Amino acid sequence: MIKNKRKILFVRRGYLLLLTGILLGFVAFSAISMIYSSRRPQDSGMGMPTEIEFDFLYTSEKQGWIEQVTPKFEVWFKELFNISVNVRLIVTGTHDTVNRILDGSERPTVWSPASSIWISYMNTKWLNITGSVHDIAVDWTPLVLSPVVIAGWGSYLDEHNVTGFMDLYRLAKEGVDFKYGHPDPLLSNGGTMTVILEFAEAAGKKPEDLTIDDLKNETVIEIVRTIESKAIA
């Protein structure tokens, strides 16, 4: 049943939409305060504030690091600008951060998704939902390179010469019995990035060069579907 569900997954319109905003996988900070600034009270014109507070919406894989450095940032900011700053940390999954921003339940000043692939997705959804002509996620800076690798027993990889996703496709077509695991793409950033790389290899392109036509290409879909037929949760 799991395999059948995975096969259906790749032809659903909503899932393909998730893959339309393709960039290399980086952890990114994206300032989105400009979109919301018009909805917040403006400065009274009385000069510089003595205290400010802002919301920082980010994802759980960096929670320990963020919680450790935030107090240091607040002290540094106070010493440098003589302004007390209170950072309100809000942590959840990347897809949930997107949904919260789009439905207005969170209005963060800074958003840090698990990967920059979500920035184009966020902007596309924002433009479609609001009718705005301006992106919501702007001025983003990549911080960390997040590699995606294929790991397995060295003897097995050497025996079957597995160096990429197309080798998994080859083995599946040859009837070689193997299991392949990655997180759920609809729940995990790692799973999403893995499937993007599967599409990229199937199309013979870099991830950032993928197009909508590539994602609709029947040959590409067949390759990804075959690889995913070996996937387990």
Side-chain angles (χ1 to χ4, degrees):
M1 293 300 293
I2 292 177
K3 293 180 180 179
N4 289 338
K5 288 182 180 179
R6 289 183 181 276
K7 290 180 180 180
I8 295 172
L9 187 63
F10 291 99
V11 296
R12 288 181 178 171
R13 180 180 177 185
Y15 192 73
L16 292 179
L17 176 62
L18 179 62
L19 302 179
T20 60
I22 305 297
L23 289 171
L24 286 176
F26 293 103
V27 177
F29 284 84
S30 183
I32 60 177
S33 58
M34 292 180 64
I35 296 295
Y36 292 125
S37 61
S38 62
R39 305 181 188 180
R40 291 179 173 175
Q42 300 299 309
D43 185 79
S44 62
M46 299 298 291
M48 293 292 290
T50 59
E51 183 177 354
I52 59 175
E53 178 178 296
F54 67 86
D55 294 347
F56 180 15
L57 182 61
Y58 69 104
T59 50
S60 56
E61 73 284 338
K62 49 187 172 287
Q63 183 175 4
W65 169 56
I66 293 297
E67 290 181 347
Q68 183 177 14
V69 300
T70 296
K72 297 179 181 179
F73 165 77
E74 293 173 340
V75 171
W76 170 84
F77 196 91
K78 173 67 173 179
E79 292 176 348
L80 187 63
F81 299 105
N82 196 31
I83 299 174
S84 298
V85 59
N86 178 38
V87 182
R88 177 174 173 258
L89 299 177
I90 308 166
V91 59
T92 185
T94 293
H95 211 161
D96 189 43
T97 66
V98 173
N99 291 335
R100 291 189 188 192
I101 293 172
L102 292 176
D103 67 21
S105 59
E106 297 290 353
R107 297 185 174 188
T109 301
V110 180
W111 170 51
S112 178
S115 169
S116 60
I117 61 174
W118 296 93
I119 296 176
S120 294
Y121 176 68
M122 164 75 88
N123 286 331
T124 298
K125 296 287 286 185
W126 174 262
L127 298 179
N128 290 339
I129 291 174
T130 66
S132 173
V133 296
H134 301 291
D135 290 340
I136 183 174
V138 295
D139 298 331
W140 60 278
T141 302
L143 297 179
V144 180
L145 179 64
S146 302
V148 175
V149 300
I150 298 176
W153 294 108
S155 57
Y156 186 90
L157 299 180
D158 291 340
E159 177 185 354
H160 296 285
N161 192 28
V162 177
T163 60
F165 292 104
M166 289 302 293
D167 293 316
L168 299 183
Y169 172 70
R170 170 178 54 81
L171 293 180
K173 296 297 285 186
E174 291 174 354
V176 177
D177 185 27
F178 70 94
K179 297 297 182 183
Y180 162 57
H182 65 68
D184 187 334
L186 294 181
L187 300 176
S188 165
N189 175 73
T192 302
M193 292 174 65
T194 299
V195 174
I196 288 173
L197 289 176
E198 291 175 4
F199 270 94
E201 279 209 34
K205 294 183 175 182
K206 296 179 180 179
E208 63 268 31
D209 294 331
L210 284 171
T211 66
I212 298 296
D213 288 339
D214 293 326
L215 302 180
K216 294 180 178 179
N217 184 286
E218 290 299 328
T219 300
V220 171
I221 292 175
E222 189 275 331
I223 292 173
V224 175
R225 181 183 290 120
T226 300
I227 295 173
E228 285 296 302
S229 71
K230 294 294 185 177
I232 57 175

